[in-house]
């Protein structure tokens, strides 16, 4: 905790076709709950519209570089694609910001 506030962690969501606005809102509320359990406050949730709109991910990277202890909250590992591939979004997060990735579906 910084002072009386928790550090901010933005969220990142790949919005798959068929995900309604209501479902997206529920997903964002879940990310906020998970962030809180990890001692963070959910900041901006960057939403990538699929099939592909990398602008949201690029904006996320820029925002993480401004944080002292960067972390991002995601619904599941799938939202960053395959973690084991060179050049993956996970690898980009690690190389550019050494970001802690908080995965909601693995959270207690």
């Amino acid at each position: 905790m910084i002072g009386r506030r928790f550090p901010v962690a933005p969220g990142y969501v790949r919005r798959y076709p068929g995900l309604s606005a209501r479902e997206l809102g529920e997903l964002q509320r879940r990310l906020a709950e998970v962030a809180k359990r990890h001692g963070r406050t959910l900041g901006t949730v960057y939403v990538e519209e699929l099939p592909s709109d990398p602008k949201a991910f690029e904006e996320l990277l820029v925002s993480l570089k401004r944080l002292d202890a960067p972390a991002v909250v995601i619904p599941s590992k799938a939202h960053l694609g395959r973690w084991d591939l060179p050049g993956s979004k996970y690898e980009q997060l690690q190389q550019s910001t050494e970001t802690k990735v908080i995965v909601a579906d693995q959270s207690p």
Side-chain angles (χ1 to χ4, degrees):
M1 191 182 318
I2 301 171
R4 294 185 161 262
R5 295 180 15 194
F6 292 115
V8 173
Y12 177 74
V13 174
R14 294 175 75 187
R15 187 174 185 179
Y16 295 96
L19 184 68
S20 70
R22 186 175 137 250
E23 291 168 323
L24 181 60
E26 291 170 7
L27 189 56
Q28 290 174 332
R29 281 188 290 283
R30 181 156 182 258
L31 295 182
E33 292 168 5
V34 170
K36 186 175 181 179
R37 284 198 303 267
H38 285 265
R40 306 271 179 163
T41 298
L42 184 66
T44 300
V45 176
Y46 295 89
V47 180
E48 181 177 330
E49 300 289 340
L50 293 180
S52 183
D53 179 12
K55 184 177 178 184
F57 186 74
E58 293 164 7
E59 291 172 353
L60 171 67
L61 289 176
V62 169
S63 75
L64 289 168
K65 290 178 182 177
R66 293 185 291 231
L67 300 176
D68 292 331
V72 62
V73 186
I74 60 174
S76 69
K77 283 186 168 186
H79 286 259
L80 290 179
R82 291 208 25 208
W83 290 30
D84 59 338
L85 295 177
S88 69
K89 289 181 177 178
Y90 176 77
E91 184 178 270
Q92 290 177 52
L93 285 170
Q94 297 308 301
Q95 287 179 349
S96 66
T97 62
E98 297 182 8
T99 296
K100 176 180 180 180
V101 178
I102 301 169
V103 182
D105 73 1
Q106 295 177 348
S107 194

